[in-house]
Amino acid sequence: MRVDYSPDTLGAGSFYRLLTAVIVPRPIAWVSTLSADGRTANLAPHSFFTVACVDPPIVQFTSVGRKDSLHNVEETREFVVNFTPEPLFEQINATGTDFPREEGEFDVVGIEREPSLRVKPPRVAASPVALECTLHSTLGLGDSTVVFGRVVHAAVSEDVLVDGRPDIRLLRPLARLGGNEWGTMGEVHDLARIPYRDRRHR
């Protein structure tokens, strides 16, 4: 037996909580941006995040409502997606607070920054991976805006590389779950796909 839920009768807030409880785990884009005048560096986690295109490399994150990250990206057309590893859990969570726009999370939370190579917004110094992006486009959907960013540079710490590739066990990614729940990597399974031509001969 199943329980049926309708977004029309449940309401947007309750249905949002249902969706985020079942669409799990969700990777986190820890987005750093700069205000138009260059004075305030904003840093915020967005858990609606994924790869949008391979060639050219484009990533996307969703701003639910008109958040500081969105304002800054629209004005400067640049941002950085910083990887969210387990050791930075408390700092990542702290930057999710609704700080006033003129207060930068780097300074308020006490997060060390480092300069980016291709864009003006800073990177999180302790994050093992930073994807520097320029704005490709945005798409408005109801109360949300999907931001598409072209990755113009990727900076990866040597500490998480094995044979030249990022290793999941060294990256130790955090993920968002439902409510106030967060997830860690857990057990990793390695299983190659079977090409159709090989499957036919089994």
Side-chain angles (χ1 to χ4, degrees):
M1 176 178 289
R2 296 178 183 264
V3 178
D4 297 316
Y5 299 90
S6 169
D8 295 330
T9 57
L10 198 59
S14 295
F15 205 76
Y16 164 82
R17 288 187 286 274
L18 173 66
L19 288 178
T20 55
V22 298
I23 302 176
V24 291
R26 296 187 308 282
I28 305 163
W30 205 11
V31 178
S32 54
T33 58
L34 270 181
S35 59
D37 60 11
R39 295 180 179 177
T40 306
N42 176 264
L43 181 64
H46 296 266
S47 69
F48 294 177
F49 164 61
T50 191
V51 176
C53 183
V54 174
D55 188 13
I58 294 175
V59 295
Q60 69 180 70
F61 74 90
T62 299
S63 175
V64 181
R66 301 284 304 173
K67 295 182 178 177
D68 296 341
S69 299
L70 177 60
H71 283 289
N72 291 344
V73 169
E74 289 176 334
E75 292 176 349
T76 67
R77 304 187 65 81
E78 295 182 336
F79 64 95
V80 178
V81 174
N82 302 276
F83 188 87
T84 52
E86 186 178 343
L88 299 182
F89 173 47
E90 292 186 1
Q91 293 96 318
I92 296 163
N93 185 60
T95 59
T97 301
D98 55 344
F99 290 101
R101 192 176 180 192
E102 64 276 7
E103 294 189 24
E105 287 82 357
F106 278 96
D107 297 329
V108 176
V109 179
I111 296 173
E112 183 181 357
R113 68 184 84 182
E114 67 180 20
S116 295
L117 185 67
R118 295 282 306 276
V119 298
K120 291 181 180 178
R123 306 188 300 223
V124 174
S127 175
V129 181
L131 304 177
E132 300 179 13
C133 303
T134 58
L135 180 63
H136 176 275
S137 58
T138 61
L139 175 64
L141 298 170
D143 68 348
S144 301
T145 302
V146 186
V147 177
F148 298 92
R150 179 165 183 163
V151 181
V152 295
H153 182 72
V156 183
S157 171
E158 293 180 345
D159 295 338
V160 298
L161 295 177
V162 174
D163 297 328
R165 297 184 62 183
D167 186 280
I168 192 68
R169 295 169 181 83
L170 299 176
L171 286 168
R172 298 174 62 192
L174 280 172
R176 286 291 281 125
L177 307 175
N180 292 322
E181 300 166 337
W182 299 67
T184 54
M185 182 180 62
E187 188 175 356
V188 176
H189 302 276
D190 194 339
L191 180 64
R193 295 179 183 176
I194 302 172
Y196 179 71
R197 64 179 181 275
D198 295 339
R199 186 182 296 275
R200 287 182 301 171
H201 300 298
R202 290 192 165 209

